[in-house]
C-alpha cells in the first residue's frame, strides 16, 4: 500500500480523535492559584473544565462514525485505519472512565470491568492477527460503544437533563447497562471465535 494512502482523510480524522484525548484530560487537571492568576483564559477553562471536557468528548466520539463513513464511501479503508479506529475508541472510553474515577463520579470497579474487557479483546485480536486469522466481528460492538458514550456524557453532565424529569439516576443506569452489554459482547466475541482461535494453534 502506498504511503500516501495511509494518511487519507479517514485516517486523519481517526488521528484527530486520538489527539483530542489529551485535551479532554487537560480539562480535568486542577491548576494552582499561581498559574490561574496568569491568564483569564485559564481561569475560565478551570471554572468550566467539565463543560469543555464534555464538548471535546462529544466531538471525539462523533468522529468515530465520520471516519468510518468516509473510509467506506470513498474507498479509503486501509490496514492502518483498521488498527487505529478501534484503538482510538478504546483509548477515548478508557481515559474518560479513568477521569471519572479520579473525579469520584463513578466507582473504580465498573471502570475495571469495561477497560478489562477491552484489553482482553484487543489482546485476542492481536494474537489472531499474528496468526493470520480473520475473526468475526461482534454484532453488539457498536451498541456497546453507543451506550458507553451516552453513559459517559450523562455522568459528566451530572445526570442532565434527566434530573429535571426524574429522581432516578439515569446516568448511572446507562453505565450499568453499558457495562452489562460490554461484558456480554466480550463473551459473545470469544464464543463466536473460539473455534477459529483453536484452529490457529
Amino acid at each position: 500500500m502506498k504511503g500516501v494512502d495511509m494518511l487519507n482523510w479517514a485516517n486523519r480524522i481517526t488521528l484527530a480523535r486520538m489527539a483530542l484525548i489529551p485535551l479532554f484530560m487537560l480539562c480535568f487537571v486542577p491548576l494552582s492559584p499561581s498559574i490561574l492568576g496568569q491568564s483569564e483564559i485559564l481561569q475560565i477553562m478551570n471554572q468550566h473544565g467539565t463543560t469543555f471536557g464534555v464538548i471535546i468528548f462529544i466531538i471525539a466520539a462523533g468522529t468515530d462514525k465520520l471516519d468510518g463513513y468516509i473510509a467506506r464511501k470513498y474507498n479509503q479503508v486501509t490496514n492502518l485505519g483498521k488498527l487505529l479506529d478501534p484503538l482510538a475508541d478504546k483509548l477515548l472510553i478508557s481515559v474518560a472512565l479513568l477521569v471519572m474515577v479520579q473525579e469520584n463520579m463513578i466507582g473504580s470497579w465498573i471502570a475495571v470491568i469495561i477497560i478489562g474487557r477491552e484489553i482482553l479483546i484487543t489482546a485476542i485480536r492481536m494474537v489472531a492477527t499474528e496468526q493470520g486469522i480473520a475473526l468475526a466481528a461482534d454484532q453488539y460492538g457498536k451498541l456497546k460503544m453507543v451506550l458507553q458514550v451516552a453513559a459517559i456524557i450523562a455522568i459528566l453532565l451530572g445526570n442532565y437533563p434527566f434530573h429535571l424529569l426524574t429522581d432516578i439516576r439515569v446516568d448511572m443506569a446507562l453505565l450499568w447497562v453499558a457495562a452489562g452489554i460490554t461484558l456480554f459482547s466480550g463473551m459473545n466475541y470469544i464464543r463466536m471465535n473460539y473455534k477459529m482461535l483453536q484452529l490457529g494453534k
Side-chain angles (χ1 to χ4, degrees):
M1 184 176 294
K2 296 181 179 180
V4 67
D5 294 329
M6 302 297 283
L7 284 179
N8 55 44
W9 278 108
N11 289 346
R12 288 176 184 176
I13 292 172
T14 303
L15 290 171
R17 178 157 79 254
M18 298 179 75
L20 287 174
I21 295 174
L23 292 179
F24 170 79
M25 295 174 63
L26 286 174
C27 292
F28 298 90
V29 174
L31 300 176
S32 65
S34 59
I35 296 177
L36 290 174
Q38 298 177 9
S39 171
E40 186 175 343
I41 295 177
L42 289 177
Q43 293 176 22
I44 295 173
M45 290 184 65
N46 185 68
Q47 184 178 358
H48 303 285
T50 300
T51 302
F52 289 127
V54 171
I55 294 172
I56 291 172
F57 182 83
I58 291 174
I59 293 173
T63 62
D64 177 41
K65 297 294 183 182
L66 182 60
D67 58 7
Y69 170 78
I70 291 176
R72 290 186 297 271
K73 182 175 178 61
Y74 298 101
N75 194 27
Q76 295 183 356
V77 177
T78 63
N79 290 332
L80 178 62
K82 292 178 181 178
L83 171 68
L84 290 181
D85 185 51
L87 178 61
D89 293 342
K90 290 172 175 55
L91 285 174
L92 178 64
I93 296 299
S94 297
V95 167
L97 290 170
L98 291 175
V99 165
M100 293 193 299
V101 170
Q102 178 184 331
E103 297 293 315
N104 295 315
M105 296 178 178
I106 63 172
S108 58
W109 65 271
I110 201 161
V112 169
I113 289 174
I114 296 175
I115 295 173
R117 180 270 186 198
E118 302 297 359
I119 293 174
L120 175 61
I121 298 303
T122 299
I124 291 174
R125 284 175 175 165
M126 290 177 63
V127 171
T129 300
E130 290 179 0
Q131 297 178 356
I133 302 173
L135 299 181
D138 173 46
Q139 60 182 323
Y140 299 101
K142 290 299 181 183
L143 174 61
K144 167 197 64 104
M145 179 67 178
V146 170
L147 287 171
Q148 288 174 351
V149 169
I152 289 170
I153 293 173
I155 292 171
L156 289 175
L157 290 175
N159 200 36
Y160 179 86
F162 305 110
H163 76 280
L164 300 175
L165 307 172
T166 176
D167 293 331
I168 298 174
R169 288 295 303 271
V170 177
D171 55 345
M172 293 307 300
L174 281 172
L175 186 61
W176 295 335
V177 172
I181 295 295
T182 298
L183 278 177
F184 177 78
S185 66
M187 292 186 292
N188 188 57
Y189 185 85
I190 294 172
R191 179 190 62 80
M192 288 191 307
N193 294 292
Y194 179 75
K195 290 184 178 180
M196 292 296 297
L197 292 170
Q198 290 291 104
L199 291 173
K201 290 184 177 180

